[in-house]
Amino acid sequence: MKENLREIPSPELCVSKIFEISGIKFDPETAAGLWPRILQHKWLMSEKLGRDIGLRVACIDFIENMEQAHKEYLAYKKRDILTEIGAQTIRKEIWDTISDSQPPKQIVQRKIILPLMEKELSKKHGVVPPKTIIFFGPPGTGKTHFAKATAGALSWWFIEIAPSMLMVDGIEKVGANLRAIMEKVRNLDDTVIFIDEFEEIAGSRDEASRVDKSITNEFLKQVPLLKNQDNNVLLICATNYIRQLDAALLRPGRFDCIIPVGGLNEDERKAILKHYLSRLHTGEIDLERLIKMTTRFTPADMEYLFEQVAQFAFEQELSTKQDYRVTTETIFEIMPKIPPSLTDEIIEEFEKDSITYSRI
């Protein structure tokens, strides 16, 4: 059944309607505030029972259970929004797949997760957890993984707003769709909102088209509205091209943290290699050699490498009908087919951007 709040009558008419239905008389201001809530309650009762509930029944039930009825409506609408936008639950274990030595993990743990988990202590010392974050770095370095892992560590919902969702009605409607989605997510709680390829919807306005400028302008309006909500909603945006974002978004006041996510050091590569090796049927593995040979590999490169290794091992055993165990040589045989994403030039540019744009 479609929710229909109709046009709200004048305060005097609201007084008359409620009195006629329930026999209770409220002052005009109160009655005007109650009327849309009564209609919401009627809609919710009808949804739950699968049939239309009379206005008289809904009105009396609402007045008798006013506070609880409104809470139930808000909770129901939140579930409705979560389903509509495709909210996911993320396993807590995903946080443990990231090495503790990775700087982005240390920042998120210190500035976001711990303050949210220790709310009373945070309040005591005036610590306000960030509500808006940008992850930036070369492609494949794990920005999406960090966003999902953060949701998993907090046991919050995870919602990804893809640029394709905003462009479903054409480029001219992107700003309106962005506004509509942000209005919905502002009413949620315990939720991570993730936007990947952020430069696609918040690019620099200096040389942008009229439409692109309007999209960036809309986002600039929406960020403060989200930050001013007194609820647990964390907006995480990710970009491979931090230089392409509009300068207004990068100034203090809109995004609380701008966090670089770059290549992996030896400890970080070791943690990822051990994770993927644990999922294979292995023989003799020289982990130290693998660590040295994956210097320029991103997390995404490693994931793809081990997908190919697993497929190779499967096909070998299927062909020979003999037990096949993955060894170091197996991985080295596959590795040349997967060139690493990182180059000296990319790393140099990232290091410059980290100095220029980071705010942690």
Side-chain angles (χ1 to χ4, degrees):
M1 298 179 187
K2 188 176 179 181
E3 182 180 11
N4 182 12
L5 300 185
R6 311 170 194 171
E7 187 175 340
I8 299 174
S10 67
E12 292 73 19
L13 190 53
C14 289
V15 171
S16 174
K17 283 177 174 288
I18 295 174
F19 180 73
E20 180 184 340
I21 293 169
S22 67
I24 302 173
K25 194 162 188 176
F26 294 93
D27 64 83
E29 186 177 342
T30 302
L34 289 179
W35 186 250
R37 293 189 177 189
I38 290 169
L39 294 180
Q40 289 170 348
H41 189 59
K42 178 183 182 299
W43 172 82
L44 181 56
M45 290 182 70
S46 300
E47 283 285 299
K48 285 183 173 180
L49 296 175
R51 58 184 175 85
D52 190 48
I53 297 298
L55 188 56
R56 182 180 299 276
V57 172
C59 180
I60 293 171
D61 187 73
F62 178 82
I63 291 172
E64 290 178 351
N65 307 281
M66 202 174 296
E67 186 176 344
Q68 184 60 30
H70 189 56
K71 285 181 179 178
E72 284 184 10
Y73 172 78
L74 293 177
Y76 192 91
K77 288 302 291 181
K78 284 179 182 178
R79 289 196 298 270
D80 212 23
I81 293 169
L82 289 168
T83 301
E84 179 187 345
I85 303 183
Q88 306 172 46
T89 54
I90 306 295
R91 294 179 296 106
K92 278 192 171 187
E93 292 76 17
I94 194 172
W95 182 252
D96 298 326
T97 65
I98 303 172
S99 169
D100 290 336
S101 64
Q102 282 196 255
K105 182 175 184 178
Q106 295 172 10
I107 295 165
V108 171
Q109 174 82 2
R110 181 170 55 89
K111 299 206 70 173
I112 299 170
I113 293 174
L114 289 177
L116 285 168
M117 289 183 169
E118 300 289 344
K119 288 186 177 180
E120 291 304 315
L121 187 59
S122 299
K123 189 175 179 180
K124 176 181 176 180
H125 291 282
V127 173
V128 180
K131 295 198 75 169
T132 51
I133 295 172
I134 294 176
F135 285 133
F136 74 91
T141 48
K143 297 179 289 294
T144 301
H145 190 73
F146 266 110
K148 288 184 175 180
T150 302
L154 291 168
S155 296
W156 286 10
W157 293 102
F158 179 82
I159 296 173
E160 179 170 1
I161 301 174
S164 58
M165 289 171 61
L166 303 175
M167 296 179 186
V168 67
D169 300 317
I171 190 69
E172 293 283 346
K173 296 287 186 179
V174 171
N177 289 341
L178 174 63
R179 181 169 58 254
I181 290 175
M182 294 300 284
E183 285 173 357
K184 289 175 182 177
V185 302
R186 286 202 304 270
N187 293 312
L188 298 177
D189 212 350
D190 296 345
T191 304
V192 170
I193 309 298
F194 178 63
I195 301 177
D196 200 3
E197 299 176 350
F198 187 41
E199 69 282 353
E200 294 292 326
I201 61 171
S204 172
R205 291 169 292 176
D206 291 344
E207 298 179 6
S209 67
R210 175 186 61 81
V211 173
D212 288 341
K213 283 181 181 178
S214 70
I215 297 168
T216 301
N217 286 336
E218 184 60 48
F219 201 88
L220 287 166
K221 295 175 189 174
Q222 291 299 324
V223 172
L225 294 174
L226 182 74
K227 291 181 70 173
N228 290 336
Q229 292 288 112
D230 186 23
N231 57 352
N232 288 330
V233 173
L234 176 63
L235 173 66
I236 301 179
C237 299
T239 179
N240 302 331
Y241 308 104
I242 188 77
R243 300 178 189 186
Q244 293 183 16
L245 296 183
D246 192 81
L249 284 164
L250 300 174
R251 289 195 289 267
R254 288 214 161 79
F255 280 88
D256 303 311
C257 294
I258 302 177
I259 303 172
V261 182
L264 304 167
N265 63 30
E266 287 196 358
D267 287 340
E268 292 156 6
R269 295 201 301 281
K270 181 177 182 179
I272 292 177
L273 286 166
K274 288 175 73 173
H275 168 71
Y276 285 118
L277 287 166
S278 70
R279 298 164 60 177
L280 298 178
H281 186 57
T282 56
E284 186 176 340
I285 298 290
D286 187 340
L287 185 59
E288 294 305 315
R289 281 185 69 197
L290 289 176
I291 292 170
K292 299 294 184 188
M293 292 296 292
T294 51
T295 306
R296 294 289 184 258
F297 276 61
T298 66
D301 293 334
M302 290 194 185
E303 182 178 12
Y304 183 61
L305 168 64
F306 280 94
E307 285 175 358
Q308 297 307 303
V309 169
Q311 182 67 27
F312 177 81
F314 165 76
E315 291 176 358
Q316 286 297 305
E317 183 156 333
L318 189 65
S319 173
T320 64
K321 309 299 182 188
Q322 296 181 350
D323 179 59
Y324 186 88
R325 291 179 178 272
V326 172
T327 65
T328 308
E329 297 309 315
T330 308
I331 298 170
F332 284 163
E333 186 176 341
I334 303 295
M335 197 175 287
K337 302 173 186 177
I338 304 169
S341 295
L342 298 179
T343 64
D344 289 341
E345 182 182 2
I346 290 172
I347 292 171
E348 183 181 350
E349 291 298 309
F350 171 70
E351 288 174 350
K352 289 179 182 177
D353 288 344
S354 296
I355 294 169
T356 304
Y357 297 106
S358 296
R359 189 168 65 249
I360 54 179

